[in-house]
Amino acid sequence: MNLLIIYTHPNHKSLCYSFLENVLKGAEENSNINHVHVLDLYEEQFDPILRFNEKKRRRDMHRDPNLETYRLQLLWADKIIFIYPIWWGRPPAMLLGFIDQMFASNFAYKDIGKILPEGLLKGKSVICISTMKGPKHYPLFLLNNAHKVLMKKALFNYVGIKKVKFIEFGNMEGANKGQNKKLQLVYQHVKKLVI
């Protein structure tokens, strides 16, 4: 299995980075995982801003040479793990900008004249690992799970990815919030992953 980890947090001393380290540790000990690649969007200085004009059209985004490396990484991966914080009920703008550009028509999906398009990323699976300052159930009760709906239904299912798992941790700021137990949980989950 080829594992692509898309890490989206600007601070390498953050709790999210500790989750990345535990994902890597679990992947190293998993005999089902052949290769691992980490895409750190902030370190990569990925430009999340969409730009369109007469020369650069949205319909041609799937051929943008500046995004070719990322397209190849997504095609290469059997499983994709996203690691990010939840800010204001949604992933960081950096990750949303990546999604806007990478999950483009004629790369991630193809319009076929029906209600829904044909997803072109079938066979892949996704895990979203996220942290938030507020209570774990805050997004469910006050935001109707907008984050999960956005990621699972409006994005992954649309492009053909049906296996999607969310591992969300709330109340994560401050000392004694059970971080070590949660880091261990992520490590164990990745250590036992199958495609």
Side-chain angles (χ1 to χ4, degrees):
M1 170 188 350
N2 292 333
L3 174 62
L4 174 63
I5 303 167
I6 300 176
Y7 174 76
T8 313
H9 196 290
N11 184 357
H12 281 195
K13 293 184 179 179
S14 69
L15 183 59
C16 278
Y17 195 77
S18 295
F19 278 110
L20 171 60
E21 291 175 322
N22 277 264
V23 166
L24 290 170
K25 181 179 169 190
E28 187 176 298
E29 297 177 23
N30 185 327
S31 61
N32 295 313
I33 298 173
N34 302 317
H35 303 285
V36 178
H37 179 74
V38 176
L39 172 56
D40 182 334
L41 294 178
Y42 282 95
E43 193 153 288
E44 185 86 10
Q45 296 185 344
F46 182 83
D47 182 359
I49 300 172
L50 282 173
R51 291 180 175 86
F52 298 112
N53 54 41
E54 301 78 32
K55 294 179 183 174
K56 186 173 182 179
R57 299 184 184 276
R58 185 173 176 138
R59 68 175 172 249
D60 298 325
M61 202 161 41
H62 67 285
R63 291 189 297 232
D64 185 334
N66 296 325
L67 302 175
E68 178 68 12
T69 300
Y70 306 117
R71 284 194 296 271
L72 292 173
Q73 290 170 356
L74 288 169
L75 291 174
W76 168 84
D78 300 304
K79 187 174 288 288
I80 305 166
I81 296 180
F82 292 86
I83 302 172
Y84 55 91
I86 298 292
W87 291 332
W88 299 108
R90 51 128 184 99
M94 174 68 85
L95 180 55
L96 295 176
F98 177 82
I99 289 167
D100 285 346
Q101 294 178 68
M102 296 315 307
F103 291 84
S105 176
N106 295 315
F107 170 72
Y109 68 93
K110 182 178 183 180
D111 290 315
I112 55 173
K114 297 185 178 180
I115 294 174
L116 291 176
E118 177 186 355
L120 299 177
L121 299 178
K122 294 176 186 145
K124 299 181 185 301
S125 59
V126 165
I127 299 172
C128 294
I129 300 171
S130 59
T131 62
M132 65 188 95
K133 179 180 178 179
K136 178 181 178 183
H137 299 294
Y138 176 82
L140 171 63
F141 295 123
L142 296 175
L143 302 173
N144 294 320
N145 266 342
H147 159 246
K148 285 185 181 178
V149 171
L150 166 73
M151 297 297 276
K152 185 172 184 178
K153 294 183 179 177
L155 172 60
F156 298 127
N157 287 348
Y158 197 83
V159 300
I161 300 173
K162 302 300 181 191
K163 290 182 182 179
V164 181
K165 179 172 181 63
F166 291 89
I167 303 174
E168 297 180 319
F169 299 107
N171 291 321
M172 295 305 291
E173 287 194 10
N176 301 318
K177 296 295 183 178
Q179 283 97 332
N180 289 336
K181 183 178 176 183
K182 293 168 183 176
L183 291 166
Q184 184 68 15
L185 186 148
V186 166
Y187 157 72
Q188 290 294 336
H189 184 77
V190 174
K191 183 178 175 181
K192 298 172 186 172
L193 274 182
V194 294
I195 190 137

